[in-house]
Amino acid sequence: MEEVKAYIESGILELYVLGQLNAQEHAEVEAMASKYPEIKQEIEAIEIAMEQYALQNAIQPSADLERKILDKIGATESREETIPVAEPIKASERVKETVIVPLNTAPYESKIKSLRIALVACIALLVMSIVALYSAHNQLGDAKEQIAALNLNNEKFTSTVNFMKQSNADLQKIIDMNNDPDWKTVKLAGTVMDPNAKMTVYWHAKGKHVMVDNSKMDLPANDQQHQYQLWAIVNGKPVDLGVFDVKADSTHILVAMKEIGSAAAFAVTLEKKGGSASPTMNQMIVMGNVSI
């Protein structure tokens, strides 16, 4: 998978093996390793590669450094032992002499040499790895920012494409309405509340469909506590056809309202959010009669 491949190539697994991650990043790597066998295998391969690199690039210390280390060890751990040796007793005096026997340091030298080689190789590898991985880690951060920016651009592009598709579909629907005699175009004009207000309603009496045209709507923007409510006047009584917000749905030119089979006129009032059971007459902003 691309996700696993990108994660392996990010350099975070090398930082994990070197112990250079924080607790959250460390837990993230372990979670990914348990989820994806490829990542677990890559971690094992990195550990083996680092061990082989350390052995192949081991640096032999100078003889002077080796002598100094052995001198230090001899001063603290390789203390000389004294063994008394009896000498023949002379007639005039008795003399006690001490024979100095040095301890065997060969086993210590072998262990120290192995540890020294491993230590020097690990330090060299660690320095080079930290520099390389720090750079890779920074590049990973930049890559993540670029990916986030690309995702945002992709979302904007997708939104634009969807808007264009929906707009084209709505425009085609309006064209089809004009060619269908069963669709009526009802123009609503402003009232005393706002003489300049206007909007258009499309109504299909047989199919009972009612559409509001967002592109031909000229109403003051409503606040968050209020919404516009469409009414059909049936036998002199208002019938609720639903609420809408001015330009709230920017992806649709046409907004479907509740169905109605007969109406003499349509009107819009400004009501509290969610609508009212009956229209507030002094808040009627547009109204239009259905032409026969």
Side-chain angles (χ1 to χ4, degrees):
M1 295 186 297
E2 291 298 326
E3 178 186 2
V4 174
K5 181 179 179 182
Y7 195 80
I8 291 174
E9 293 177 352
S10 68
I12 196 171
L13 299 184
E14 286 81 357
L15 291 173
Y16 170 80
V17 173
L18 290 172
Q20 297 298 310
L21 299 180
N22 57 37
Q24 182 179 355
E25 292 172 330
H26 188 275
E28 177 188 339
V29 172
E30 291 188 343
M32 292 291 287
S34 62
K35 184 177 180 181
Y36 299 104
E38 298 93 333
I39 293 179
K40 183 177 181 181
Q41 293 174 1
E42 183 66 18
I43 291 174
E44 294 174 352
I46 291 171
E47 291 174 342
I48 294 172
M50 287 189 175
E51 180 180 357
Q52 292 177 347
Y53 183 88
L55 294 175
Q56 293 173 1
N57 295 272
I59 301 173
Q60 179 67 32
S62 64
D64 183 62
L65 177 60
E66 182 177 3
R67 180 184 56 78
K68 290 180 178 180
I69 293 175
L70 293 177
D71 288 344
K72 289 290 184 180
I73 295 174
T76 57
E77 296 183 2
S78 300
R79 295 181 179 177
E80 296 179 344
E81 295 182 353
T82 57
I83 301 176
V85 179
E87 293 288 337
I89 301 174
K90 296 182 178 179
S92 59
E93 58 181 349
R94 293 183 180 180
V95 180
K96 292 183 179 180
E97 293 183 357
T98 301
V99 178
I100 300 175
V101 181
L103 294 175
N104 184 12
T105 60
Y108 294 99
E109 293 177 7
S110 177
K111 292 181 180 180
I112 292 170
K113 186 174 182 179
S114 298
L115 292 173
R116 181 173 60 245
I117 292 172
L119 178 61
V120 173
C122 288
I123 291 175
L125 177 62
L126 180 60
V127 171
M128 290 186 293
S129 299
I130 289 175
V131 172
L133 293 177
Y134 179 77
S135 175
H137 199 57
N138 288 340
Q139 292 176 3
L140 176 61
D142 294 339
K144 287 182 178 179
E145 292 179 359
Q146 292 175 2
I147 291 172
L150 289 174
N151 287 337
L152 180 61
N153 290 336
N154 184 55
E155 290 176 2
K156 291 181 179 178
F157 177 76
T158 303
S159 177
T160 301
V161 171
N162 291 337
F163 170 77
M164 294 177 65
K165 287 182 178 179
Q166 185 63 51
S167 297
N168 288 336
D170 287 348
L171 290 173
Q172 184 60 49
K173 195 167 188 177
I174 292 174
I175 294 174
D176 295 339
M177 288 177 180
N178 292 329
N179 296 327
D180 186 347
D182 290 330
W183 277 99
K184 294 182 180 296
T185 301
V186 184
K187 296 184 180 296
L188 281 62
T191 63
V192 177
M193 181 179 175
D194 189 344
N196 296 321
K198 60 182 180 179
M199 63 177 289
T200 299
V201 172
Y202 299 108
W203 175 44
H204 193 288
K206 292 182 179 179
K208 300 182 180 181
H209 306 305
V210 179
M211 297 279 187
V212 172
D213 193 334
N214 253 335
S215 65
K216 297 181 179 180
M217 186 182 298
D218 189 4
L219 302 178
N222 56 288
D223 56 32
Q224 294 183 352
Q225 287 74 41
H226 296 82
Q227 286 183 297
Y228 287 106
Q229 189 166 359
L230 180 64
W231 306 90
I233 310 303
V234 183
N235 297 325
K237 296 182 179 180
V239 178
D240 170 42
L241 295 183
V243 297
F244 62 92
D245 297 296
V246 174
K247 303 295 183 181
D249 188 0
S250 59
T251 61
H252 292 77
I253 295 176
L254 296 176
V255 179
M257 306 301 290
K258 294 180 181 179
E259 296 181 345
I260 192 75
S262 63
F266 291 95
V268 173
T269 59
L270 183 64
E271 306 290 345
K272 63 183 179 180
K273 188 176 181 65
S276 301
S278 59
T280 305
M281 299 306 296
N282 62 356
Q283 292 297 312
M284 182 182 295
I285 190 166
V286 289
M287 183 174 179
N289 294 323
V290 178
S291 60
I292 299 175

